[in-house]
Amino acid sequence: MARGINKVILVGNLGNDPETKYTQGGMAITRISLATTSVRKDKDGNQQERTEWHRVVFFGKLGEIAGEYLRKGSSVYVEGSIRYDKYTGQDGVEKYSTDIIADEMQMLGGRGEGGGGGGGGGERAARPQRQEYSSSSSSAPRRQAPAPQQAPVDDFADDDIPF
Amino acid sequence: MARGINKVILVGNLGNDPETKYTQGGMAITRISLATTSVRKDKDGNQQERTEWHRVVFFGKLGEIAGEYLRKGSSVYVEGSIRYDKYTGQDGVEKYSTDIIADEMQMLGGRGEGGGGGGGGGERAARPQRQEYSSSSSSAPRRQAPAPQQAPVDDFADDDIPF
Amino acid sequence: MARGINKVILVGNLGNDPETKYTQGGMAITRISLATTSVRKDKDGNQQERTEWHRVVFFGKLGEIAGEYLRKGSSVYVEGSIRYDKYTGQDGVEKYSTDIIADEMQMLGGRGEGGGGGGGGGERAARPQRQEYSSSSSSAPRRQAPAPQQAPVDDFADDDIPF
Amino acid sequence: MARGINKVILVGNLGNDPETKYTQGGMAITRISLATTSVRKDKDGNQQERTEWHRVVFFGKLGEIAGEYLRKGSSVYVEGSIRYDKYTGQDGVEKYSTDIIADEMQMLGGRGEGGGGGGGGGERAARPQRQEYSSSSSSAPRRQAPAPQQAPVDDFADDDIPF
DNA sequence: TTTT
DNA sequence: TTTT
């Protein structure tokens, strides 16, 4: 139940390795910085690039997976929603932040994957190249799992439904 | 877990009242016919309209809600995925169908709402104008519920996370 | 040409009337504040609401239309991209802002429409209830018009293409 | 101008090389078959896969690019709309088809890219790994180009707009 | 078949 | 028919 749609779809590359923390309750919170670059022609006809750096947050099971499989340079599809926050910084000044709360992600082949510079790379060697994950309803507090799908065909003994 | 993204977003109007059936297991399956119209200029500069009629299917809890609240003429936002099916018709000929399997819907204000011609209209009088529903994980076999969201702030006693 | 996808889809209501300015070059820039509300159950099982207020910006032709037809309370579909900006405020302090740069919008029926408080309301009485607009390529510098579509069927004299 | 939203977002792999034709007017029409696979758990807890094969059509400039750069196995992001068609086959029987009319595409890294089995592979060696293309408004009759973007900053000599 |  |  909600009023309105707040949906974000991103495909981009991580600027750094993910950062994972855990709440007192043991829930994973993983943050990444994701770049998307667009190009336009300026009035002189020159190509101008502009990169947006999105702060994407994954909670719960999705946070664990993001923290484990994503690395600097990884290419990833993310679906989620925008959240704007206002808080008071250490310096007593009000600050604003914008985060993308992910509720689905899928690793895409590309630079950064499989790779992963540095010592921690070993255990990631066998990871799948293209899999989609959704935030698990059990541990993810903000987003719920859109995952399991498609009814057993034999559950449709009803009638002439052609599927 | 999946490989690839198959996402559809529709905003349109129902051409007819929804049709709801139930599986032997008691799960609701509601179908609607949803119109989206686009306009283009043809080569003579005349406006040409084209309407697509989408067959949208709602399962489980979402199917119950769609069947109860949507009506001919209703305006609705639907999110889901495309499913192509092939089956053999009564006449022994192979047929193809395309359905949009909904996993989220939201009623939008507009003509057709509040309306509900006929006797069954009474109990719908008080229905909310704009609410979003997702397929419930318990009863929806194909799509899962992305619904409840946002962590209790006080579950984040961890550290300096500003939200 | 670009690298990455940065896409936002919103359905929400305006918190205020739009504000339109014009650049020296005469291009309209219209800003709206758009609310989307989501609901979750907190750990005590109570429904908790949270509203995000999106700053949406329309340029060029789309800015003119948004400024003319949208009003406080209007329900609208917006498609665009996220843009993060950093600037130095009057007080010399670095600030951050997040805007949704619209490249498509469609008015949805609902509260606020037809309405239009204030003197300027008269000429809007006859406005259409549900039309989609895209930023025009001629005047919109940032987003381009996805609008006119669909080839004249008779331009496909080629072969057996069934459309 | 339109009434309703009909939007499709796909990420998948080509099952075959693209097929390009040209209209009498010289416009390219490229078709691909794009797979997206979803996974669900059946009632016995086993993982069940299901693959949808989308027929995606690119017109005009986008058709030329798709025909030139995509290959069997390529991973690609596609945005477009659904079009349903009804036509009479050679056998005099009415048939139905569903196509995704692309208005944006972006090649994603992954198997099949760079690769290109066969003789034609040479000229594709230097192609960019991740670029987004949109249907050009000049040659694409059905979809229009969402491409060029973002106003020259210096066109905003107006006032205090922080971007 | 809807809607504008 | 792809991909994992």
Side-chain angles (χ1 to χ4, degrees):
Chain A
M1 270 157 285
R3 295 189 305 283
I5 298 295
N6 173 0
K7 180 161 287 290
V8 177
I9 288 172
L10 303 174
V11 175
N13 297 280
L14 277 75
N16 285 298
D17 283 351
E19 295 181 4
T20 303
K21 296 179 173 183
Y22 292 86
T23 63
Q24 290 186 333
M27 184 187 63
I29 302 179
T30 295
R31 293 174 169 282
I32 64 169
S33 193
L34 192 68
T36 60
T37 300
S38 60
V39 184
R40 66 174 179 90
K41 276 216 182 76
D42 64 21
K43 45 187 174 187
D44 304 325
N46 300 319
Q47 298 257 335
Q48 289 284 89
E49 288 204 351
R50 183 185 160 106
T51 297
E52 306 302 329
W53 286 99
H54 305 87
R55 297 164 31 121
V56 181
V57 191
F58 304 87
F59 290 93
K61 187 68 183 159
L62 198 54
E64 294 168 20
I65 295 167
E68 183 173 4
Y69 293 119
L70 298 179
R71 285 297 171 269
K72 178 178 178 174
S74 294
S75 177
V76 70
Y77 170 96
V78 168
E79 195 178 320
S81 60
I82 313 178
R83 191 186 60 196
Y84 307 99
D85 285 293
K86 180 182 175 180
Y87 62 101
T88 306
Q90 315 271 54
D91 54 1
V93 179
E94 282 198 339
K95 297 188 194 313
Y96 297 83
S97 66
T98 299
D99 293 294
I100 308 304
I101 308 303
D103 47 42
E104 195 162 345
M105 78 106 161
Q106 183 164 141
M107 291 176 285
L108 305 171
R111 218 210 69 84
E113 64 136 19
E123 80 282 18
R124 275 174 280 113
R127 110 176 105 95
Q129 275 241 159
R130 184 82 105 54
Q131 278 194 272
E132 183 188 359
Y133 303 95
S134 298
S135 57
S136 117
S137 51
S138 54
S139 54
R142 285 175 179 263
R143 295 293 149 187
Q144 207 240 26
Q149 297 159 331
Q150 271 145 39
V153 167
D154 41 14
D155 192 22
F156 293 76
D158 277 332
D159 49 347
D160 57 353
I161 307 177
F163 57 88
Chain B
M1 271 156 285
R3 293 188 304 285
I5 298 296
N6 172 0
K7 179 161 288 290
V8 177
I9 289 171
L10 304 173
V11 175
N13 297 280
L14 278 75
N16 284 299
D17 283 351
E19 294 181 4
T20 304
K21 296 179 175 183
Y22 291 86
T23 62
Q24 290 186 331
M27 183 186 64
I29 302 179
T30 295
R31 294 175 168 280
I32 64 169
S33 193
L34 193 66
T36 60
T37 300
S38 60
V39 185
R40 66 172 181 91
K41 276 215 182 77
D42 65 20
K43 46 188 175 187
D44 304 325
N46 300 320
Q47 298 258 335
Q48 289 284 90
E49 288 204 352
R50 182 184 162 107
T51 296
E52 306 301 330
W53 285 99
H54 305 87
R55 299 165 30 122
V56 181
V57 191
F58 304 86
F59 290 94
K61 186 68 182 157
L62 198 54
E64 294 168 20
I65 296 167
E68 183 173 4
Y69 292 118
L70 299 178
R71 284 296 171 270
K72 178 176 179 174
S74 294
S75 178
V76 70
Y77 169 96
V78 169
E79 195 178 320
S81 60
I82 312 177
R83 191 185 60 195
Y84 308 99
D85 284 293
K86 180 182 175 180
Y87 61 101
T88 306
Q90 316 270 55
D91 54 1
V93 178
E94 283 196 339
K95 295 187 195 315
Y96 298 85
S97 66
T98 300
D99 293 294
I100 308 304
I101 309 303
D103 46 42
E104 195 163 344
M105 78 106 159
Q106 183 164 141
M107 290 177 285
L108 306 172
R111 221 208 68 84
E113 65 135 19
E123 78 282 18
R124 276 176 276 112
R127 111 174 104 95
Q129 274 241 160
R130 184 84 104 51
Q131 278 194 272
E132 182 190 0
Y133 303 95
S134 298
S135 56
S136 117
S137 51
S138 54
S139 55
R142 286 174 179 265
R143 295 292 150 187
Q144 207 240 25
Q149 297 159 331
Q150 274 147 35
V153 167
D154 42 13
D155 192 24
F156 292 76
D158 278 332
D159 48 349
D160 58 352
I161 308 176
F163 57 86
Chain C
M1 275 157 281
R3 295 188 305 284
I5 298 296
N6 173 359
K7 179 161 287 290
V8 176
I9 288 172
L10 303 174
V11 175
N13 297 280
L14 278 75
N16 285 297
D17 283 352
E19 295 181 4
T20 303
K21 296 179 173 182
Y22 291 86
T23 63
Q24 290 187 332
M27 183 187 63
I29 302 179
T30 295
R31 293 175 169 281
I32 64 168
S33 193
L34 192 67
T36 60
T37 300
S38 60
V39 184
R40 65 172 181 91
K41 276 215 182 78
D42 64 21
K43 45 188 173 186
D44 303 325
N46 300 321
Q47 298 257 336
Q48 289 283 89
E49 288 204 350
R50 183 185 161 106
T51 296
E52 307 300 331
W53 285 98
H54 305 87
R55 298 165 30 122
V56 181
V57 191
F58 304 87
F59 291 94
K61 186 69 182 158
L62 198 54
E64 294 169 19
I65 296 168
E68 182 172 6
Y69 292 119
L70 299 179
R71 284 298 171 269
K72 178 178 178 173
S74 293
S75 177
V76 69
Y77 169 96
V78 169
E79 194 178 320
S81 59
I82 313 177
R83 190 185 61 196
Y84 308 100
D85 283 293
K86 180 182 174 180
Y87 61 101
T88 306
Q90 315 270 54
D91 54 3
V93 179
E94 283 197 339
K95 295 187 196 314
Y96 297 84
S97 67
T98 299
D99 293 294
I100 307 305
I101 308 304
D103 45 43
E104 195 161 345
M105 78 106 160
Q106 183 165 140
M107 291 177 284
L108 306 172
R111 219 209 68 83
E113 65 137 19
E123 79 282 17
R124 275 175 277 114
R127 110 175 102 98
Q129 275 240 160
R130 184 84 106 51
Q131 278 195 270
E132 182 189 0
Y133 303 95
S134 299
S135 56
S136 117
S137 51
S138 53
S139 55
R142 286 172 179 265
R143 295 293 149 186
Q144 207 239 25
Q149 297 158 332
Q150 273 145 37
V153 167
D154 41 14
D155 192 24
F156 293 76
D158 277 333
D159 49 345
D160 58 351
I161 308 176
F163 57 86
Chain D
M1 272 156 284
R3 294 187 306 284
I5 298 295
N6 172 359
K7 179 161 288 289
V8 176
I9 289 172
L10 303 174
V11 175
N13 296 280
L14 277 75
N16 284 300
D17 283 351
E19 294 181 4
T20 303
K21 297 179 174 183
Y22 292 86
T23 63
Q24 290 186 332
M27 184 188 63
I29 302 178
T30 295
R31 292 175 169 281
I32 64 170
S33 194
L34 192 68
T36 60
T37 300
S38 60
V39 184
R40 66 171 180 93
K41 275 215 182 77
D42 64 21
K43 44 188 174 186
D44 304 325
N46 301 318
Q47 298 258 335
Q48 288 284 89
E49 288 204 351
R50 183 185 161 105
T51 296
E52 306 302 330
W53 286 99
H54 305 87
R55 299 166 28 123
V56 181
V57 191
F58 304 86
F59 290 94
K61 186 69 183 159
L62 198 54
E64 294 168 21
I65 295 168
E68 183 173 4
Y69 292 118
L70 298 179
R71 284 296 172 270
K72 178 177 179 174
S74 295
S75 178
V76 70
Y77 170 96
V78 169
E79 194 177 320
S81 60
I82 312 178
R83 190 185 61 196
Y84 308 99
D85 283 293
K86 181 182 175 181
Y87 61 101
T88 306
Q90 316 271 55
D91 54 3
V93 179
E94 281 197 340
K95 296 186 196 313
Y96 298 84
S97 67
T98 299
D99 293 294
I100 307 305
I101 308 303
D103 45 43
E104 195 163 344
M105 78 105 161
Q106 182 165 141
M107 291 177 284
L108 306 172
R111 220 209 69 83
E113 64 135 19
E123 79 283 17
R124 276 176 277 113
R127 112 174 102 96
Q129 274 240 161
R130 185 86 105 51
Q131 279 195 271
E132 183 189 359
Y133 303 95
S134 298
S135 58
S136 118
S137 52
S138 54
S139 53
R142 285 175 178 264
R143 294 293 148 187
Q144 207 238 25
Q149 298 159 330
Q150 272 144 37
V153 168
D154 42 14
D155 193 22
F156 292 76
D158 277 333
D159 48 346
D160 58 352
I161 307 176
F163 56 86

